[in-house]
Amino acid sequence: MADEAIRTTNLTKIYKEKSKQPVHALNGLNLSVQRGEIFGLLGRNGAGKTTLLRILTTLIKPTSGSASVMGFDVQAHGAEVRNHICAVLQENALEQFLSVRDNLTTYGRFHSVPPHEREARAQRVLDQFGLTEYKNKKAMDLSGGLKRRLQVAKVFMVDKPIVFLDEATTGMDPINKRAVLESIRAQADGGRTIVLTTHILQEAEDLCDTIALIHEGRIIASGSVATIKALATSVFELSITFESMNEELLAQLKSLSPVRFEQTGNVVELCINSVDGTVLDTIAQLSRISRITHLEINGGTLEDAFVELLGVSREDTSWK
Amino acid sequence: MEMILAVLYREFRIRTTSPVWMFFDLFMPLIYLLMFGVGLDRAMSGGVGQFGGEMSYQSFFLAGVLSMACFGIAINTSYGFFVDRENGIFYEFLTYPMTRGEFLVGKIVFNCLLAVVQSALTLSVGTLVLDIDIRWQYAWFAASGIVVGTAGWFFFLTILALRIHRNDIFNTVLNVAYFVLMFASSMFYPVDSMPAWLRTISLMNPLTWHTDVLRFATIGIGNVETIILEAVAFGVFLLVSFWFAVRTLQHAVIK
Ligand SMILES: Nc1ncnc2c1ncn2[C@@H]1O[C@H](COP(=O)(O)OP(=O)(O)O)[C@@H](O)[C@H]1O
Ligand SMILES: [Mg+2]
């Protein structure tokens, strides 16, 4: 498809190390990213986000399945893929021996920014990221937060159509984070495709056009932020302690068709799918059957909600 | 080409941030030549007999020093992979718009130039101070030998550096390998004067091929047919190493 920036089909990655259990980092992952959108991969640590980005940036080869970037297969046409991308890796990658400014200009040189433009761009990026006062410092002398800022700043030196950002804002203070997020937004408005990973819901919500939830190496849900949020906000985690437990109560609880249900004595933990507001009515109904001595309600984060749902949906196929 | 130049420029910038290292890179072989060459010449007080003629030990050792210097620069450059890996920049490089081959060539070109400058210094001092009779008309041949030698060893060491993920193990392997390679070669003494078993090993050692070619190019010692054979053998060693190094970069970067 012409307006597709990235596509993966049954992408699988198994890390094999001697004398260790193989790690299935990606398990048949399917993904499609449109050009010009900000695409967020949201998932817990270990979900496989970095592995996916490593494959898309040609750092590692998939074990099976395929992936293409701007129509180029990552395995067969690695160099072509690299012509269209720039990436902020999860770990900092800086020229420790070079100054902040030189880090920017060398990055520009590698990405074919014309010589006469490099200095001007570097100056603009320095200003944009509040790095001007450090421009002559060597990267190795910067604090952790500043290093991260410089690392992220580099991609704003170049105009590659696709930008990968792996946990770009990790370790940044809120003000700089804001600035970074705004810069990313501006880039996308200019037509670039941004693929970012994060384990922070808020960030994905604020920034992304499309979110994909990744769990155990698979995409378990994807869609616009609004769609995903609507799904997520209807999931509640309840922990209720009743004064006493009886058949009627159990029947009532079951009739809520919980996606997860656990009972230990008088304590019931359940996860229900319910439209906004009605959850309180439900609880009120329950309390008429048996008095509630303790109650906890969690709106469940976007991620948790889906992880819970996925965990349950494997056993309970009745859940839609 | 643009990418090779960008990598070259980067290596230049990194190297020149440390003038001390630049100094060592440029003058180390000279120091070797002066200390070992002259010292051993005195100790042996008769020089080395080869191909019917007698020559001073420093004349004989000159090519050994040059090939040792190429090897040394190749080691330093390949060691850079560990530094880059520690700084994370190594992985980022691999996402830059270039082929793995361009990356490797770019990394070594600056260092090849460094090796040529270093050799020119060593040869000049050899002529002026040590009175070694150098065939300057073959300087182009010597320079090519220096470039090819440095690149060949670098590609070979790249394979090791990328496959051995820990730099302490790399160091150990390198120290042992270097020791064996140096003494089983024509670097310090003529192959003809070796016991048969050592001679056999030496003749299969790329360090011998390289040293012999440089010896021929600088002081004109050696049998032309043998030298051609050795030059071709080293060329093959370079190409095979390059091919494997590129493959290693494509496959074994992150386990
Ligand atoms: N080089 C590696 N060797 C072995 N296992 C790895 C390697 N890199 C990642 N993993 C494992 O693969 C899984 C996915 O990791 P990763 O892609 O880093 O997830 P995320 O970025 O979402 O935190 C984890 O279980 C992790 O421990
Ligand atoms: Mg990660």
Side-chain angles (χ1 to χ4, degrees):
Chain A
M1 238 192 293
D3 42 359
E4 205 171 50
I6 294 169
R7 165 168 288 274
T8 75
T9 312
N10 282 326
L11 200 61
T12 302
K13 176 68 189 180
I14 304 171
Y15 290 109
K16 293 186 199 105
E17 266 180 88
K18 274 178 246 127
S19 71
K20 278 196 197 150
Q21 285 279 352
V23 180
H24 291 250
L26 297 181
N27 291 303
L29 186 139
N30 295 303
L31 187 75
S32 161
V33 178
Q34 302 305 304
R35 290 192 191 179
E37 72 176 342
I38 303 187
F39 189 94
L41 281 159
L42 184 64
R44 287 189 175 143
N45 281 333
K49 304 181 295 291
T50 296
T51 302
L52 175 59
L53 256 56
R54 281 180 183 159
I55 291 175
L56 295 174
T57 54
T58 77
L59 274 171
I60 57 173
K61 309 240 167 199
T63 309
S64 65
S66 66
S68 65
V69 174
M70 298 305 269
F72 296 102
D73 184 85
V74 291
Q75 294 199 72
H77 303 286
E80 271 305 329
V81 169
R82 291 192 291 274
N83 279 336
H84 293 90
I85 64 169
C86 60
V88 171
L89 307 178
Q90 183 162 6
E91 289 79 27
N92 279 341
L94 297 173
E95 296 285 14
Q96 303 285 350
F97 304 104
L98 300 186
S99 71
V100 169
R101 170 191 285 277
D102 288 345
N103 263 277
L104 294 174
T105 49
T106 18
Y107 192 83
R109 183 187 289 264
F110 275 112
H111 289 86
S112 309
V113 175
H116 59 276
E117 263 185 53
R118 272 180 226 141
E119 284 299 323
R121 283 201 197 191
Q123 193 50 56
R124 197 195 64 214
V125 170
L126 286 169
D127 289 342
Q128 194 178 353
F129 286 85
L131 289 166
T132 308
E133 59 179 303
Y134 310 101
K135 67 180 177 194
N136 294 321
K137 270 199 165 185
K138 282 191 181 179
M140 62 167 115
D141 298 327
L142 299 179
S143 70
L146 283 174
K147 279 187 180 148
R148 193 62 187 157
R149 234 195 282 173
L150 175 57
Q151 173 66 20
V152 176
K154 290 198 291 188
V155 293
F156 294 92
M157 283 291 295
V158 306
D159 354 78
K160 292 296 161 96
I162 302 191
V163 186
F164 291 100
L165 301 162
D166 199 356
E167 311 263 355
T169 56
T170 304
M172 275 189 197
D173 58 273
I175 296 174
N176 287 299
K177 200 159 157 168
R178 191 80 256 152
V180 169
L181 298 183
E182 274 161 20
S183 310
I184 294 172
R185 180 84 259 171
Q187 294 286 319
D189 293 342
R192 294 172 90 178
T193 309
I194 317 265
V195 177
L196 59 90
T197 77
T198 178
H199 59 272
I200 304 164
L201 169 67
Q202 195 61 44
E203 223 172 88
E205 256 185 64
D206 287 353
L207 196 59
C208 299
D209 302 313
T210 305
I211 293 179
L213 280 137
I214 179 167
H215 179 65
E216 292 179 356
R218 268 193 211 92
I219 303 290
I220 58 171
S222 67
S224 72
V225 174
T227 319
I228 301 258
K229 267 190 92 170
L231 277 169
T233 47
S234 63
V235 176
F236 292 87
E237 274 186 81
L238 306 178
S239 172
I240 315 174
T241 312
F242 294 99
E243 202 165 62
S244 64
M245 189 55 76
N246 58 47
E247 287 301 314
E248 191 195 350
L249 186 59
L250 275 178
Q252 182 74 25
L253 285 165
K254 288 273 161 66
S255 74
L256 298 170
S257 50
V259 289
R260 185 166 66 90
F261 183 84
E262 268 170 51
Q263 184 208 342
T264 17
N266 289 348
V267 183
V268 174
E269 292 193 6
L270 74 166
C271 201
I272 54 170
N273 192 4
S274 126
V275 211
D276 252 347
T278 63
V279 68
L280 293 173
D281 297 339
T282 310
I283 293 163
Q285 271 172 28
L286 292 171
S287 72
R288 271 176 231 127
I289 305 170
S290 171
R291 207 166 78 83
I292 292 174
T293 58
H294 184 80
L295 169 69
E296 271 178 46
I297 310 179
N298 285 310
T301 64
L302 188 50
E303 184 198 357
D304 283 341
F306 276 95
V307 171
E308 291 296 347
L309 295 180
L310 183 89
V312 171
S313 68
R314 284 207 200 110
E315 294 139 26
D316 180 2
T317 44
S318 69
W319 184 80
K320 304 177 281 297
Chain B
M1 196 60 200
E2 187 194 350
M3 280 302 121
I4 293 177
L5 288 177
V7 184
L8 184 155
Y9 176 76
R10 183 259 175 183
E11 292 293 310
F12 160 75
R13 288 300 303 271
I14 301 291
R15 278 302 186 107
T16 48
T17 51
S18 171
V20 179
W21 277 112
M22 278 295 272
F23 177 82
F24 272 106
D25 276 339
L26 289 175
F27 293 99
M28 209 53 195
L30 203 54
I31 296 168
Y32 259 103
L33 183 65
L34 292 171
M35 287 173 60
F36 282 93
V38 177
L40 281 173
D41 188 53
R42 298 262 157 79
M44 303 202 307
S45 72
V48 184
Q50 204 188 20
F51 301 104
E54 287 280 317
M55 71 182 101
S56 66
Y57 187 71
Q58 58 258 31
S59 303
F60 177 81
F61 189 46
L62 179 69
V65 162
L66 296 181
S67 80
M68 184 195 287
C70 295
F71 198 92
I73 286 188
I75 288 180
N76 288 346
T77 313
S78 64
Y79 205 78
F81 284 123
F82 289 97
V83 180
D84 290 347
R85 192 139 49 185
E86 213 158 273
N87 295 339
I89 195 83
F90 174 68
Y91 301 107
E92 194 180 89
F93 270 130
L94 299 180
T95 70
Y96 289 176
M98 56 188 163
T99 63
R100 304 311 191 214
E102 284 173 325
F103 175 53
L104 287 178
V105 172
K107 267 188 99 66
I108 198 58
V109 171
F110 171 72
N111 294 284
C112 286
L113 296 177
L114 198 66
V116 170
V117 173
Q118 175 195 64
S119 304
L121 269 169
T122 311
L123 290 175
S124 308
V125 172
T127 309
L128 298 174
V129 180
L130 300 176
D131 208 21
I132 300 172
D133 188 12
I134 289 162
R135 305 196 303 170
W136 289 103
Q137 69 273 29
Y138 286 107
W140 61 271
F141 187 39
S144 324
I146 299 287
V147 168
V148 170
T150 308
W153 284 117
F154 169 67
F155 297 143
F156 178 77
L157 293 172
T158 296
I159 304 168
L160 295 183
L162 295 178
R163 289 189 185 247
I164 303 173
H165 278 239
R166 283 175 45 188
N167 73 13
D168 52 335
I169 299 179
F170 179 69
N171 264 334
T172 312
V173 170
L174 214 60
N175 282 333
V176 174
Y178 194 22
F179 190 80
V180 174
L181 284 173
M182 269 202 313
F183 286 97
S185 80
S186 58
M187 206 181 239
F188 294 110
Y189 27 75
V191 172
D192 297 339
S193 63
M194 290 176 185
W197 63 272
L198 189 58
R199 190 181 328 159
T200 314
I201 300 176
S202 297
L203 291 176
M204 294 187 310
N205 181 352
L207 209 53
T208 300
W209 309 336
H210 188 221
T211 309
D212 286 353
V213 170
L214 291 179
R215 190 162 285 139
F216 180 79
T218 51
I219 59 171
I221 295 295
N223 171 302
V224 178
E225 279 120 61
T226 314
I227 297 301
I228 291 174
L229 201 66
E230 289 183 311
V232 171
F234 198 91
V236 172
F237 169 73
L238 176 141
L239 292 176
V240 171
S241 297
F242 181 67
W243 187 81
F244 269 109
V246 168
R247 255 187 79 85
T248 306
L249 261 184
Q250 279 166 345
H251 290 277
V253 174
I254 299 172
K255 269 195 267 186

